[in-house]
Amino acid sequence: MSRLLVVGASILQLPAILKAKEMGHYVAVADYDPEAVGIPYADEYYNASTIDIDAITDIARVFKPDGIMTLATDMPMRSVAKASELLGLKSISFDTAVRATDKYEMIRAFNECGVPAPWYFKIKTRGELLNIIEDLTFPCIMKPTDNAGSHGVVLVHNVDELMKNYEYSRNNSRNGCVIIEEYLKGDEVSVEVMVVNGNVHILQITDKITTGSPHFVEMGHTEPSRMSDNIQRQIKIVAENAVRAVCIDNGPSHVEMMVTERGPVMIELGARMGGDNITTHLVPLSTGIDMTEATINVALGGKPDLIPRCKKGSAIRYIEAPVGKIKSITGIGLAKSIPGVIQVSLTKNTGDYSTEISCSNDRIGFIISQGNDADEAASICESALKCIKIEIES
């Protein structure tokens, strides 16, 4: 029985915990929250922050795992990488984990390796910001160098907006650094990747829907991509080169890019499985590839099964609501009854507050579907969305 340490026990890591147990592994989890939803499903629990590198490495020394992983979160990858290095386990290096979690180091690696990427400036103080204003082209994107889930991301159209929103981005940065970069116009996609001993496998391309300006929170995903074959070939080349630029040699990667007039251009990537149910649900539904199982196998030094078992469409759409205190939510049962609807989940309920969507935590729920192709899957999700009615207290 192999021993797996999952860094994190939140709803994001739950699919990995459940899958590892289903596969017959002995599973320990580490999380700062003793009430984390995944703890009851694991064999052992350790109380520690997922981004406390020293604490996670100490836990690894005590637990002696055969593999260490996380799912859908960026910064814990530094803990995973450091602990894996110290124990001689299969993982990315700590240096790679830094490049994959620091947007400045990442985009610098893209540029050094000739991967299409935006122009950029790294800023740590308001004084540095003032010094580069004349070099900026508006509109541009400002965001923390070390956060995810659209936290601190904002589109600014002029100097006034830049100065006004600087603290917003900086306050969402753990190290106080902000990156200002080119605003890319086009269609956003993500690429779901698995790297095994340096061999890059492209599993799926995902079309994205976001809220757009100013925060670009993701509100929907559809697989497979409906881009032309030629564009998809270009996307795959850029994704592979981006993964190699940051030196990911083992494990999953979630690669995000914008298809612009000049072709696909990188936004950023993560050295982990994608969130938003993309890799845990949409990839298996559209390809038959169990990416969670594959990631566990790679972490344990095994060989993942990356052979597609089907060619279907899958989609997820996030539920929107007016701003205010939620009085009632109806139509969930009706939405679930629609053929092709796989899951309907709420993250907020009656009595909670619905807010403007400025980051992924503000979304109140989602619908996942499967269809014969991407168009059908998207249509099923949209039909289910129309069934759900949310009333806000006046």
Side-chain angles (χ1 to χ4, degrees):
M1 180 184 293
S2 296
R3 297 167 67 84
L4 181 70
L5 173 60
V6 179
V7 179
S10 74
I11 192 68
L12 295 174
Q13 289 81 37
L14 183 59
I17 299 166
L18 296 175
K19 176 58 66 173
K21 290 303 299 176
E22 178 187 315
M23 295 167 67
H25 301 310
Y26 188 87
V27 180
V29 295
D31 200 293
Y32 79 97
D33 180 8
E35 302 298 321
V37 66
I39 294 172
Y41 301 95
D43 298 292
E44 293 187 31
Y45 165 62
Y46 294 88
N47 182 254
S49 168
T50 59
I51 60 175
D52 186 334
I53 296 173
D54 291 338
I56 298 300
T57 52
D58 286 344
I59 290 167
R61 288 190 185 98
V62 172
F63 180 63
K64 297 180 173 60
D66 300 298
I68 308 173
M69 67 168 290
T70 191
L71 194 160
T73 50
D74 284 310
M75 294 308 291
M77 281 305 305
R78 297 189 183 189
S79 301
V80 170
K82 179 61 75 174
S84 296
E85 273 189 347
L86 291 174
L87 273 63
L89 303 176
K90 185 80 75 173
S91 181
I92 58 173
S93 70
F94 183 73
D95 287 344
T96 295
V98 171
R99 282 190 291 271
T101 52
D102 185 303
K103 293 176 174 59
Y104 169 69
E105 296 296 337
M106 184 190 304
I107 200 168
R108 190 169 71 166
F110 294 157
N111 276 269
E112 289 176 352
C113 295
V115 179
W119 56 255
Y120 64 96
F121 293 91
K122 180 185 177 182
I123 304 299
K124 192 160 188 178
T125 67
R126 188 173 286 271
E128 291 178 358
L129 178 60
L130 291 171
N131 288 337
I132 57 95
I133 283 177
E134 291 185 359
D135 299 315
L136 300 179
T137 301
F138 292 97
C140 55
I141 296 288
M142 183 163 55
K143 59 187 177 183
T145 59
D146 58 356
N147 212 324
S150 297
H151 292 276
V153 178
V154 63
L155 176 69
V156 293
H157 296 85
N158 51 53
V159 174
D160 287 342
E161 288 186 7
L162 182 74
M163 303 308 293
K164 179 181 177 181
N165 287 283
Y166 170 68
E167 294 299 332
Y168 167 69
S169 290
R170 188 179 186 279
N171 290 340
N172 278 278
S173 173
R174 296 180 177 89
N175 63 14
C177 292
V178 166
I179 190 167
I180 300 172
E181 63 185 36
E182 177 185 2
Y183 171 47
L184 300 172
K185 296 180 181 179
D187 297 308
E188 189 174 347
V189 299
S190 67
V191 188
E192 318 316 323
V193 178
M194 184 65 70
V195 188
V196 185
N197 297 323
N199 296 310
V200 179
H201 302 268
I202 306 294
L203 305 186
Q204 188 59 283
I205 300 174
T206 308
D207 291 336
K208 292 180 174 292
I209 300 171
T210 75
T211 56
S213 173
H215 301 297
F216 305 95
V217 182
E218 295 173 357
M219 296 301 292
H221 308 284
T222 307
E223 295 181 358
S225 174
R226 290 168 281 187
M227 298 278 181
S228 70
D229 291 343
N230 179 50
I231 292 296
Q232 290 195 46
R233 281 192 292 270
Q234 295 178 47
I235 289 170
K236 291 176 181 179
I237 291 170
V238 172
E240 179 170 350
N241 290 340
V243 166
R244 294 192 186 281
V246 297
C247 303
I248 297 173
D249 54 2
N250 276 293
S253 182
H254 176 70
V255 183
E256 298 179 337
M257 66 184 76
M258 191 74 73
V259 180
T260 71
E261 289 183 352
R262 68 179 190 262
V265 179
M266 281 299 303
I267 299 174
E268 58 192 46
L269 60 73
R272 41 76 178 173
M273 291 173 62
D276 276 5
N277 299 285
I278 295 172
T279 45
T280 55
H281 292 72
L282 300 193
V283 170
L285 287 170
S286 67
T287 69
I289 298 171
D290 190 328
M291 202 167 172
T292 307
E293 181 177 304
T295 299
I296 292 169
N297 281 330
V298 171
L300 292 170
K303 184 178 180 181
D305 182 358
L306 303 178
I307 300 172
R309 296 291 194 276
C310 68
K311 192 175 182 180
K312 295 275 192 177
S314 60
I316 184 170
R317 295 292 183 270
Y318 283 86
I319 302 166
E320 295 188 64
V323 174
K325 188 175 182 180
I326 299 173
K327 182 178 181 180
S328 66
I329 303 175
T330 58
I332 300 297
L334 183 59
K336 288 180 176 179
S337 71
I338 295 176
V341 170
I342 303 298
Q343 183 176 337
V344 179
S345 294
L346 294 175
T347 54
K348 295 186 179 182
N349 293 288
T350 303
D352 292 334
Y353 282 87
S354 171
T355 63
E356 291 186 4
I357 297 175
S358 60
C359 70
S360 57
N361 293 342
D362 296 329
R363 302 173 304 192
I364 71 166
F366 59 84
I367 297 165
I368 296 175
S369 68
Q370 183 186 48
N372 290 316
D373 55 27
D375 288 335
E376 184 177 65
S379 178
I380 291 168
C381 265
E382 297 296 340
S383 295
L385 277 178
K386 292 177 182 176
C387 297
I388 299 173
K389 308 297 181 185
I390 300 171
E391 186 179 359
I392 300 298
E393 289 187 5
S394 56

